[in-house]
Amino acid sequence: MGKPTREFGTPPVNYEVFIMEIRQPIHSEHAKTLDTAGLRKQFLIEGLFCEGEMNLTYSHIDRIIVGGIVPTHKPLALMAGKALGVDFFLERRELGAINIGGAGKVVVDGEIFEIAPREALYIGMGAREVEFSSADANHPARFYINCAPAHHTYPSRKITIDQASPEKLGKVENCNVRTIYKFLHPSILPTCQLSMGMTVLEPGSLWNTMPCHTHERRMEVYLYFDMKDDNVVFHYMGEPTETRHIVVRNEQAVISPSWSIHSGVGTAAYTFIWGMVGENQVFHDMDHVAMTDLK
């Protein structure tokens, strides 16, 4: 895992410099040898949301960038530099942002998008200037972003929670009643490869994605939030016959390689954002794992 760097372009006046951490991919055989500290170091993303900062993690797994942006008194802007090798951040990338904080605003090449809590924004490849700000510095927006390589420019667009194709799943007896909101999904708008959505568990429901699955054709990142300080989620990962767990706290994210299951159970209800990057965007294209095969 590389060291964080602040040498990421020259920021305009009044913009904060942001942090980008570089992580290498981990082979499934290597993952079997890791202890708790090793698993957390490679797959858990902590410290995403710090007021007045933009914190990014660049994973070599499908080259996804995961980040938290919390503008307060000053706007925060995406900047390019040596870490991406391009003239501007989205020269060859697309980006999805979901606001889990207070009201905010994103300006994309002069076009203003007002982003309320639980609303999303898709920004297409080629956008040169992208700036994030909060309506109230005392209750700032908290933009969670996923960013992926792209090959085509699609229009930038705001997506409200009512437009996000809600789908209710699960059963009370299985403790997994939940509603899935598909913000960035082919049924909502076109993207090159990035998909993002939010899953809200009902009170008394603790499980997500169980029975579990893998999908060799894409990786995934989970952000867990809406959790009290004394609650945790046990995120299960690994190959179906070599499962491990990572204890995740509020506003922390987990990188899930294509060879890994990605399932969690909490000590209370929670909300999570899933982001997927890979070969296809077929939502139900997954390799189901029988409960009898889990080990």
Side-chain angles (χ1 to χ4, degrees), residues 117-193:
R118 305 295 177 99
E119 291 186 341
L121 177 66
Y122 171 75
I123 305 175
M125 183 187 73
R128 285 182 168 271
E129 297 182 358
V130 181
E131 177 185 285
F132 299 82
S133 60
S134 296
D136 181 357
N138 295 316
H139 185 47
R142 301 170 84 80
F143 294 102
Y144 174 67
I145 70 166
N146 285 177
C147 180
H151 61 275
H152 182 81
T153 299
Y154 290 107
S156 298
R157 178 184 157 187
K158 168 182 167 178
I159 308 99
T160 68
I161 197 165
D162 292 333
Q163 297 169 332
S165 184
E167 180 181 1
K168 193 168 184 176
L169 298 173
K171 298 179 180 179
V172 172
E173 56 265 35
N174 292 334
C175 302
N176 65 351
V177 180
R178 62 203 189 275
T179 301
I180 298 176
Y181 297 91
K182 304 168 190 162
F183 286 106
L184 273 61
H185 185 269
S187 64
I188 308 300
L189 80 171
T191 67
C192 291
Q193 64 166 321

Side-chain angles (χ1 to χ4, degrees), residues 56-236:
L56 307 178
T57 296
Y58 183 117
S59 171
H60 282 278
I61 301 175
D62 283 314
R63 300 195 179 276
I64 192 172
I65 295 175
V66 179
I69 304 172
V70 188
T72 52
H73 299 283
K74 301 175 183 178
L76 297 174
L78 295 176
M79 294 174 288
K82 182 179 179 181
L84 290 181
V86 292
D87 293 330
F88 53 97
F89 196 94
L90 295 181
E91 183 176 344
R92 297 173 185 166
R93 286 179 165 269
E94 59 184 356
L95 183 146
I98 298 177
N99 183 9
I100 65 170
K105 179 175 69 176
V106 184
V107 181
V108 181
D109 288 340
E111 184 177 3
I112 298 174
F113 296 91
E114 303 284 350
I115 309 297
R118 305 295 177 99
E119 291 186 341
L121 177 66
Y122 171 75
I123 305 175
M125 183 187 73
R128 285 182 168 271
E129 297 182 358
V130 181
E131 177 185 285
F132 299 82
S133 60
S134 296
D136 181 357
N138 295 316
H139 185 47
R142 301 170 84 80
F143 294 102
Y144 174 67
I145 70 166
N146 285 177
C147 180
H151 61 275
H152 182 81
T153 299
Y154 290 107
S156 298
R157 178 184 157 187
K158 168 182 167 178
I159 308 99
T160 68
I161 197 165
D162 292 333
Q163 297 169 332
S165 184
E167 180 181 1
K168 193 168 184 176
L169 298 173
K171 298 179 180 179
V172 172
E173 56 265 35
N174 292 334
C175 302
N176 65 351
V177 180
R178 62 203 189 275
T179 301
I180 298 176
Y181 297 91
K182 304 168 190 162
F183 286 106
L184 273 61
H185 185 269
S187 64
I188 308 300
L189 80 171
T191 67
C192 291
Q193 64 166 321
L194 179 62
S195 297
M196 290 183 75
M198 182 173 68
T199 300
V200 181
L201 276 73
E202 294 192 2
S205 288
L206 306 174
W207 277 101
N208 69 67
T209 324
M210 182 61 75
C212 61
H213 62 267
T214 61
H215 26 65
E216 283 291 343
R217 293 151 295 280
R218 57 185 180 271
M219 61 85 69
E220 196 158 357
V221 179
Y222 273 31
L223 170 75
Y224 292 97
F225 67 106
D226 275 355
M227 298 163 58
K228 294 181 180 179
D229 290 341
D230 58 348
N231 288 335
V232 300
V233 169
F234 291 84
H235 177 90
Y236 291 94

Side-chain angles (χ1 to χ4, degrees), residues 3 7 10 13 29 35-36 44 63 74-77 79 138 159-160 184 199 211 242 256 262 290 294:
K3 295 181 179 180
E7 297 179 359
T10 302
V13 176
E29 293 296 322
D35 60 9
T36 297
L44 182 68
R63 300 195 179 276
K74 301 175 183 178
L76 297 174
M79 294 174 288
N138 295 316
I159 308 99
T160 68
L184 273 61
T199 300
E242 288 282 349
S256 179
H262 37 279
L294 282 176

Side-chain angles (χ1 to χ4, degrees), residues 207 210 224 234-238 243-246 260-265:
W207 277 101
M210 182 61 75
Y224 292 97
F234 291 84
H235 177 90
Y236 291 94
M237 63 161 296
T243 58
R244 303 288 189 272
H245 77 269
I246 298 176
S260 176
I261 66 168
H262 37 279
S263 185
V265 61

